Amino acid sequence: MTLKQAFEDQAGHCVALGSPFMGQLMMVLARDWPTDSALGRKFASATGDVGPMGASLPLRLAGGLHALVLKRKAPELSAVYPPHQASDADLSAAVLAALQTHEAFLLEWTDHAPQTNEVRRSAALIAGARVAAQHFNLPIQLSELGASGGLNLMWDHFALEIDGHHFGPNMSTILLSPDWTGALPPKTQPQIQKRRGVDLNPLDPTRHDHLLRLMAYLWADQPERLNLTRSAASVMQAKVDQGDAIDWLAQQLPKAPQGCLHLIQHTVAWQYFPKPAQARGKALIEAAGQLATAQRPLAWLSMENDGTDKKGAALTLRLWPGDITLNLGRADFHGRWIDWQHTS
């Protein structure tokens, strides 16, 4: 995939995920990319897949541009960013000027892979965890792989609203209300006793600079995502370790205590693990499942691209003892909708 194709491909994904501004930005960059600049030469030297499933250079750059806007370092760019609207010509002129003026900042920023922490995915985690708790109504030890800033480890502090039905704390200021089809999730309220996550590059949302990075990768014409991220950061209490997810998992599985349900969760992270790591992780979880008991059960809750042509991500829950696999339904990658297919 060429860089031009990567911009165009990313534009399609952004529009499909409800961001016309990002679609416009990506197409402007595809057309007017400054190949003779330092950024142009850096991107041209990149090897491997530069698109959304690889190095994701378009989103790296978009994050850097949005960071300039959020930091109020580029007034000319802010003037063409949402809530403002701009023609392609005006957007192109402002972006190209920012690429030149803030080249040093963007060269450093784009060294790092995009990192988001999509809080709306917690709607699927809340519902899936209720199914797990319905099977094993024990305190939960929660482990998240590819946790980023760990915001989705805090889903028990968020409220889920479905057609007037409320799930979660009554006083929560963090309200998730996806377009929901299907039956309601179970009424069983999960109780988290301990929570921890892992990420190759964990961010701390309680730090201003780390929160800025998380928010920069959100899309400027989707203010609800920005607001949810700020709100979730305000209740952040989880620890996210730095490390390889599968190495970390190998250490955590034997530590699961008696009298707790060990719930492993991940959302749109597994697909980025190398194939050998995926195979090893699956084998580790299944081996731990064989040792699970009614007083030391194990659950594996995932929201991941399953490689089919179906819309969104597959919601899957595996439970041990018994090795029960439940196909809970499908969810939009950003959590905008959930097609719930499980019945209690």
Side-chain angles (χ1 to χ4, degrees):
M1 178 180 290
T2 66
L3 182 61
K4 183 176 187 294
Q5 290 170 332
F7 279 125
E8 293 171 343
D9 192 41
Q10 188 63 64
H13 290 303
C14 292
V15 171
L17 287 167
S19 179
F21 168 74
M22 279 290 291
Q24 180 189 18
L25 175 64
M26 292 293 103
M27 291 306 293
V28 162
L29 287 166
R31 185 192 67 197
D32 298 335
W33 179 245
T35 56
D36 59 346
S37 65
L39 273 167
R41 290 187 291 274
K42 176 183 178 179
F43 279 25
S45 68
T47 58
D49 184 359
V50 299
M53 297 302 293
S56 201
L57 296 186
L59 286 185
R60 293 189 189 210
L61 183 67
L65 291 169
H66 195 194
L68 290 171
V69 172
L70 292 173
K71 288 161 64 77
R72 298 177 180 167
K73 297 291 187 181
E76 72 288 350
L77 198 59
S78 298
V80 296
Y81 260 60
H84 309 292
Q85 293 184 338
S87 66
D88 287 356
D90 288 344
L91 180 61
S92 178
V95 167
L96 291 176
L99 293 181
Q100 183 176 30
T101 303
H102 302 281
E103 187 172 68
F105 171 81
L106 293 169
L107 283 168
E108 189 279 330
W109 181 279
T110 54
D111 282 341
H112 307 283
Q115 213 164 344
T116 56
N117 208 163
E118 181 53 70
V119 176
R120 291 182 299 182
R121 293 174 186 161
S122 276
L125 297 175
I126 291 168
R130 284 173 173 266
V131 177
Q134 187 180 48
H135 283 258
F136 302 108
N137 195 10
L138 294 168
I140 290 174
Q141 176 174 308
L142 184 61
S143 299
E144 183 170 22
L145 310 180
S148 188
L151 295 179
N152 286 326
L153 281 163
M154 303 302 298
W155 50 253
D156 57 325
H157 291 252
F158 310 159
L160 173 61
E161 285 276 357
I162 305 170
D163 297 330
H165 298 272
H166 188 94
F167 301 86
N170 290 326
M171 300 302 291
S172 177
T173 60
I174 305 161
L175 182 63
L176 307 174
S177 52
D179 292 335
W180 185 281
T181 56
L184 295 174
K187 294 182 179 179
T188 307
Q189 175 66 49
Q191 301 295 326
I192 298 179
Q193 179 171 293
K194 183 179 179 181
R195 69 191 89 217
R196 203 173 187 97
V198 64
D199 197 89
L200 281 175
N201 181 35
L203 298 177
D204 179 358
T206 66
R207 285 181 47 174
H208 176 75
D209 56 334
H210 285 202
L211 181 59
L212 172 71
R213 181 166 286 274
L214 285 174
M215 295 183 64
Y217 288 115
L218 302 177
W219 299 339
D221 56 344
Q222 297 182 334
E224 72 280 6
R225 297 176 71 198
L226 295 162
N227 292 335
L228 275 173
T229 299
R230 289 191 191 96
S231 296
S234 72
V235 301
M236 181 61 185
Q237 300 171 5
K239 169 68 175 176
V240 180
D241 297 321
Q242 192 280 326
D244 175 85
I246 306 305
D247 288 344
W248 181 88
L249 181 64
Q251 296 175 353
Q252 299 302 312
L253 285 168
K255 297 178 183 178
Q258 291 286 336
C260 280
L261 166 63
H262 187 190
L263 174 58
I264 301 163
Q265 69 178 35
H266 50 84
T267 63
V268 198
W270 193 264
Q271 69 186 53
Y272 297 110
F273 299 165
K275 295 295 184 184
Q278 292 179 5
R280 181 178 170 228
K282 181 172 180 285
L284 284 169
I285 295 172
E286 290 175 341
Q290 294 303 311
L291 301 175
T293 67
Q295 285 302 307
R296 193 172 176 264
L298 177 66
W300 181 9
L301 177 59
S302 66
M303 174 186 160
E304 297 288 347
N305 183 351
D306 58 352
T308 70
D309 58 0
K310 296 179 181 178
K311 293 177 63 176
L315 301 177
T316 306
L317 177 66
R318 289 183 69 177
L319 300 166
W320 293 269
D323 195 2
I324 302 166
T325 298
L326 301 175
N327 296 313
L328 302 180
R330 303 193 74 82
D332 173 68
F333 288 110
H334 285 180
R336 296 174 301 166
W337 55 262
I338 294 177
D339 178 11
W340 188 251
Q341 298 168 14
H342 179 72
T343 54
S344 302

